[in-house]
Amino acid sequence: MDLSAKRLNVIEPSPTLVITAKANELKKKGEDIVSFGAGEPDFETPTHIRDAAKKAIDKGMTRYTAVSGTPELKEAIVRKFKRDNGLDYEKNQIIIGTGGKQVIYNYFLATLNAGDEVIIPAPYWVSYADIVRLSEGVPVIVNTAADNNFQITPEQLKKAITPKTKCLILNSPSNPTGAAYPKKDLEALGEIVLSSGIQVMSDDIYEKIIYDGFTFSNLAMLSPELKKQTFVINGVSKTYSMTGWRIGYGAGDIGIVKNMDTIQSQSTSNPSSISQAAAEAAVGGDQACVEEMRKAFEERRNTIVALLNAIPGVKCNNPQGAFYVFPYLTDVYKTPGFERLLKESSEKSLSKLFCNILLEKYKVAAVPGIAFGEDQALRLSYAMGETDIKRGVERIAEMIRDLNQ
Ligand SMILES: Cc1ncc(COP(=O)(O)O)c(C=O)c1O
């Protein structure tokens, strides 16, 4: 009897989690690994948030909550949307789930029918395409250009829309490139969204990690009409260094929220009651910790971009946000040393081969760009101290020097 369901044929384990697990395993064995793999801030969760969780346990908030989240956390999220984005939502337009990832999954399960198309600008976050496939939708990948700051152009969007298009995914700032859409570029896309009537899933999870005075916008903030067509996803993982607490949330159409609630009620029920109390302190409490972490990320970004661009053959963008860089190794892949390795290996993906050797021989974990739809690049997460950034980039430089021999 075949015990694996056919739906597994259309998805893969998340490559970022695979690389992170491999790096952690090697670290446990005592190897000195520098890991640019994991997409999580390295800071402790701020004290006032941890204290709120401890209090929640002591007060006995250890039982099931409403499936879509506690009224208190929903109120804090409603206030957050008003405070940060000038957006008005009712509590019944909010759903809280076990991480932004679950909210995104429930959104697509709740909105897609078999064959519905979802436009995903590439490079894209690893999970989008697989979540769409699991929901019986069809990912339509649109390649963006590094010299257009990895943005889908209005012309590209127009061309990609068909009668089967249900949704466009926008993720700004982006994982994996860190690129963010300025308001005027969103306005141009917004016109097409309005005239075509498609939905937009706006993944704002990196909203607060932005640099050089960049002003964050999303489509819902542009007009009441666009707000109706936009479903906003956000969460506490990245903003408050709370990846393990697993709280994400979505806001949008009441009917969609209700359907997501139904799906959640038959799968996980409510997210952890204690994590919800902590998230309430995070979203509704003092925001000074957010600026402290943001500043540290900005300094690290400056360091890593400069170091990478100093390596011959590496071309690294200067991201406006998130904590990733997406350097292109196009010239490195053309070196005789790398071509020789490619010939000898059964691995056909350039970025996978590079990352395999980088980890095995040079003890640095990075995620192959192919996982995000771009084999010419790598994704490095710089959520680590400056010393480790320098050590890790020096090892990448050493590998590239060796390939040039
Ligand atoms: C672009 C993007 N969206 C959503 C998520 C989901 O985060 P979480 O499930 O921890 O809220 C991540 C996490 O890596 C991400 O990078």
Side-chain angles (χ1 to χ4, degrees):
M1 192 197 293
D2 183 1
L3 290 181
S4 57
K6 286 199 180 68
R7 69 176 65 86
L8 276 147
N9 298 341
V10 298
I11 61 166
E12 277 187 5
S14 160
T16 22
L17 299 184
V18 169
I19 288 271
T20 309
K22 209 165 154 186
N24 286 344
E25 212 176 282
L26 290 171
K27 270 188 196 167
K28 254 195 196 151
K29 282 188 190 155
E31 299 220 30
D32 170 27
I33 305 287
V34 179
S35 183
F36 291 116
E40 65 178 342
D42 55 321
F43 305 106
E44 285 291 350
T45 301
T47 314
H48 70 283
I49 300 173
R50 284 185 280 152
D51 286 346
K54 290 175 198 164
K55 250 193 220 150
I57 295 173
D58 291 340
K59 278 203 297 196
M61 293 166 70
T62 53
R63 309 198 169 271
Y64 292 134
T65 72
V67 169
S68 59
T70 63
E72 293 81 10
L73 179 52
K74 284 186 190 173
E75 275 158 23
I77 291 168
V78 165
R79 285 197 301 273
K80 175 258 175 266
F81 276 120
K82 186 74 185 163
R83 175 189 74 207
D84 297 352
N85 311 107
L87 289 172
D88 289 303
Y89 288 106
E90 300 291 332
K91 265 194 310 204
N92 59 5
Q93 291 183 280
I94 307 288
I95 182 155
I96 299 149
T98 304
K101 198 183 248 181
Q102 189 199 19
V103 182
I104 294 170
Y105 186 46
N106 287 348
Y107 169 77
F108 283 117
L109 281 181
T111 57
L112 294 185
N113 288 312
D116 282 348
E117 292 177 357
V118 177
I119 298 172
I120 307 177
Y124 47 80
W125 180 45
V126 289
S127 296
Y128 293 141
D130 279 7
I131 289 176
V132 167
R133 287 190 194 100
L134 272 178
S135 315
E136 297 184 77
V138 179
V140 174
I141 308 297
V142 177
N143 289 315
T144 66
D147 53 17
N148 190 41
N149 197 29
F150 300 106
Q151 289 178 21
I152 185 169
T153 64
E155 294 70 34
Q156 283 181 310
L157 177 58
K158 236 187 249 167
K159 232 173 116 189
I161 294 174
T162 74
K164 287 189 173 168
T165 305
K166 191 75 159 270
C167 186
L168 160 72
I169 296 180
L170 285 179
N171 172 217
S172 167
S174 143
N175 177 3
T177 64
Y181 285 81
K183 188 173 171 196
K184 68 168 182 16
D185 296 333
L186 284 178
E187 279 167 348
L189 296 177
E191 279 176 29
I192 299 161
V193 168
L194 279 178
S195 61
S196 62
I198 62 170
Q199 294 290 304
V200 176
M201 196 274 278
S202 180
D203 181 349
D204 298 357
I205 202 112
Y206 297 101
E207 171 190 9
K208 294 291 171 193
I209 307 174
I210 44 177
Y211 310 130
D212 307 323
F214 184 86
T215 305
F216 173 84
S217 314
N218 67 27
L219 274 195
M221 292 158 69
L222 299 186
S223 70
E225 293 74 26
L226 276 169
K227 182 172 168 240
K228 276 193 198 140
Q229 282 173 241
T230 304
F231 199 88
V232 177
I233 304 281
N234 211 322
V236 297
S237 287
K238 318 287 177 175
T239 306
Y240 303 98
S241 202
M242 290 178 73
T243 45
W245 299 75
R246 312 304 305 127
I247 296 291
Y249 54 89
D253 177 79
I254 293 176
I256 295 177
V257 166
K258 216 166 149 220
N259 290 340
M260 290 167 71
D261 188 336
T262 303
I263 288 170
Q264 194 157 297
S265 77
Q266 296 295 14
S267 53
T268 55
S269 297
N270 63 276
S272 152
S273 57
I274 298 151
S275 294
Q276 287 189 72
E280 193 189 323
V283 174
D286 187 351
Q287 301 296 299
C289 57
V290 177
E291 175 57 13
E292 268 171 43
M293 293 190 267
R294 190 206 66 76
K295 257 198 201 142
F297 281 132
E298 183 160 352
E299 279 164 23
R300 295 165 179 188
R301 179 212 53 173
N302 294 343
T303 303
I304 197 164
V305 169
L307 289 173
L308 285 166
N309 278 325
I311 304 174
V314 177
K315 253 189 172 164
C316 184
N317 62 320
N318 190 36
Q320 294 87 54
F323 39 74
Y324 310 103
V325 279
F326 202 62
Y328 275 65
L329 271 60
T330 314
D331 291 340
V332 174
Y333 295 146
K334 288 182 195 149
T335 54
F338 193 78
E339 284 186 344
R340 224 175 12 251
L341 287 173
L342 198 60
K343 240 187 229 156
E344 288 162 6
S345 168
S346 58
E347 180 57 71
K348 291 297 157 244
S349 155
L350 307 173
S351 60
K352 271 191 187 169
L353 179 62
F354 187 93
C355 286
N356 288 346
I357 298 166
L358 186 64
L359 183 56
E360 277 158 28
K361 198 163 162 203
Y362 298 86
K363 310 296 177 200
V364 171
V367 188
I370 197 167
F372 308 92
E374 174 53 275
D375 206 20
Q376 297 293 318
L378 308 179
R379 191 199 74 173
L380 306 179
S381 160
Y382 52 88
M384 61 175 73
E386 297 251 342
T387 315
D388 276 339
I389 290 177
K390 286 177 187 158
R391 265 177 358 115
V393 177
E394 177 44 43
R395 291 183 193 181
I396 296 173
E398 189 189 338
M399 172 163 166
I400 293 172
R401 272 199 303 275
D402 291 349
L403 288 173
N404 275 307
Q405 298 293 311

